[in-house]
Amino acid sequence: MGKMIISDDIEVRQNEDLSRYSTFKVGGRADFAAFPKNAEEFKSILFSLKENGQRYTVIGNGSNVLFDDDGYRGTVIFTKYMNNTEYIHMNDKIRVRAECGKSITELAFEAGKKHLLTGMEFAYGIPGSVGGALFMNAGAYGKQISDIVVCTECYDTASEKQMTISAPEHHFSYRKSAFSENKNLIVLSSVFELREGEGGEIFDLMNKYMKNRKEKQPLDFPSAGSVFKRPADGVYAGKLIEDAGLKGLRVGDAEVSEKHAGFIVNRANASSKDILELIEMVKDKVYGSSGVRLECEVIYIPSE
Ligand SMILES: Cc1cc2nc3c(=O)[nH]c(=O)nc-3n(C[C@H](O)[C@H](O)[C@H](O)COP(=O)(O)OP(=O)(O)OC[C@H]3O[C@@H](n4cnc5c(N)ncnc54)[C@H](O)[C@@H]3O)c2cc1C
């Protein structure tokens, strides 16, 4: 394990168990885990690690990643303490600035309940952070984060500069963004545009979406949501997997969910290796039965 050189004020832990920070509940130990509380701390960590040639990765809520059983050689930067929000009223428009670690489910709830703002209901129930949602262009029920983004404050670790990018500069497409295409670009905070709404309607919609999730998704087991991307418009990975007869297929404690074939669940003590093996089996079998090559949505983070 190397040394990590950053300011004394910033919380850094050694030998941290990554399974605690992944919704799959899988992963070994990271050499270092850093927890910035604001953009200045975040930038100073990124700067120090780069100057010292040390490996790092950034994690929001860990709901779309699969950590390695051998953990992570380097530093995992967790943004969970960067969760401030600010509401900006501009004539008839209302914008909210949220730091990268803010939970999008909490943001949707806060905007809807406290501020009676509509436009984020779709995000209620997605267990991601603002940074992770921008990276993945997270979406549900026909809406995506790209529909409401005005601009994002980011830090470019290549040029070591902070900048604001406009909505078109995010280059959003299905589960892709400027951040997934250029890993040097790190989200610090983002501004979303919402509208004044009617409290009852906002709540009805959020409750409807949550009810739907509880009915259709295996929320009682750890998972990372849908494992595969939608192969094409109107073609669903879950349906192809179900049609191939793969519901219930297991490697160790990793299982293709009986409730929703697009999910792989950790039934108890699945390893990262079990999950990766099951993903490959599913890909092969679906290709054999349908000719469709599934692409992983979940991001595997190798130990080195
Ligand atoms: C039960 C369940 C249901 C789900 N339902 C949905 C759904 O309906 N729709 C959907 O789209 N997704 C869904 N997901 C997947 C997941 O919640 C989303 O992809 C979410 O946006 C990931 O956010 P996160 O903060 O957890 O990202 P993480 O898993 O922490 O990270 C994902 C990627 O984003 C990068 N990243 C994180 N923060 C930053 C940052 N500040 N700057 C740059 N890069 C960053 C990471 O490096 C990583 O590459 C679901 C997951 C679960 C477990």
Side-chain angles (χ1 to χ4, degrees):
M1 191 185 306
K3 249 181 152 175
M4 174 154 161
I5 309 150
I6 51 167
S7 145
D8 287 347
D9 303 336
I10 300 173
E11 184 182 348
V12 178
R13 296 188 201 152
Q14 279 195 44
N15 211 22
E16 192 71 354
D17 177 4
L18 291 174
S19 68
R20 293 178 50 209
Y21 302 95
S22 116
T23 55
F24 254 138
K25 301 283 170 238
V26 162
R29 289 181 180 271
D31 290 347
F32 299 98
F35 300 85
K37 292 182 290 303
N38 52 49
E40 290 314 308
E41 288 193 359
F42 196 2
K43 284 188 292 180
S44 102
I45 295 169
L46 290 164
F47 181 80
S48 304
L49 291 171
K50 192 183 162 209
E51 288 294 290
N52 291 292
Q54 293 188 28
R55 186 169 175 253
Y56 66 84
T57 190
V58 175
I59 294 297
N61 196 41
S63 66
N64 209 40
V65 291
L66 176 61
F67 290 122
D68 197 305
D69 295 322
D70 290 333
Y72 188 84
R73 304 290 72 77
T75 301
V76 183
I77 307 170
F78 292 101
T79 63
K80 63 185 207 155
Y81 295 128
M82 292 178 63
N83 52 22
N84 284 326
T85 53
E86 177 195 1
Y87 289 80
I88 311 150
H89 291 255
M90 311 169 60
N91 304 322
D92 56 333
K93 292 182 189 150
I94 297 148
R95 292 180 174 177
V96 53
R97 177 189 301 279
E99 284 187 309
C100 58
K102 178 78 179 175
S103 143
I104 55 169
T105 286
E106 278 175 26
L107 186 60
F109 187 80
E110 178 186 296
K113 177 161 182 174
K114 273 204 215 151
H115 300 270
L116 301 183
L117 297 175
T118 181
M120 258 203 102
E121 295 88 340
F122 76 91
Y124 187 59
I126 302 180
S129 66
V130 163
L134 259 75
F135 184 101
M136 299 300 300
N137 192 14
Y141 305 109
K143 290 236 156 57
Q144 306 164 89
I145 207 82
S146 54
D147 296 330
I148 56 169
V149 172
V150 176
C151 60
T152 294
E153 198 67 30
C154 18
Y155 180 71
D156 184 349
T157 57
S159 64
E160 292 170 356
K161 285 204 173 77
Q162 184 168 336
M163 63 180 101
T164 306
I165 60 167
S166 65
E169 289 171 313
H170 287 69
H171 302 302
F172 283 121
S173 60
Y174 173 65
R175 300 294 177 262
K176 278 192 182 163
S177 70
F179 307 101
S180 59
E181 301 314 289
N182 173 6
K183 305 278 168 26
N184 293 319
L185 219 48
I186 306 295
V187 179
L188 298 174
S189 65
S190 195
V191 177
F192 305 107
E193 189 152 290
L194 304 172
R195 298 180 313 283
E196 275 177 6
E198 203 277 304
E201 281 175 19
I202 297 170
F203 269 111
D204 286 352
L205 199 54
M206 290 203 298
N207 288 336
K208 185 175 127 190
Y209 290 159
M210 190 57 93
K211 189 165 168 267
N212 200 276
R213 282 179 185 276
K214 286 182 180 159
E215 273 168 18
K216 302 220 165 108
Q217 300 181 355
L219 300 182
D220 26 1
F221 289 106
S223 80
S226 297
V227 173
F228 302 100
K229 292 186 181 179
R230 211 170 52 213
D233 275 349
V235 183
Y236 296 94
K239 172 89 170 54
L240 295 174
I241 298 167
E242 185 172 350
D243 290 349
L246 304 180
K247 273 187 168 181
L249 185 69
R250 268 178 102 138
V251 174
D253 271 346
E255 182 185 88
V256 175
S257 166
E258 294 275 5
K259 193 166 176 184
H260 185 319
F263 281 52
I264 286 179
V265 292
N266 177 0
R267 296 284 310 209
N269 297 307
S271 64
S272 185
K273 194 165 160 281
D274 294 338
I275 295 171
L276 287 173
E277 223 175 280
L278 186 56
I279 288 173
E280 288 312 310
M281 278 170 77
V282 170
K283 278 186 178 172
D284 283 352
K285 287 182 190 286
V286 166
Y287 183 62
S289 64
S290 68
V292 174
R293 287 194 195 281
L294 291 179
E295 193 191 331
C296 228
E297 181 175 318
V298 169
I299 299 158
Y300 170 60
I301 302 186
S303 63
E304 44 198 328

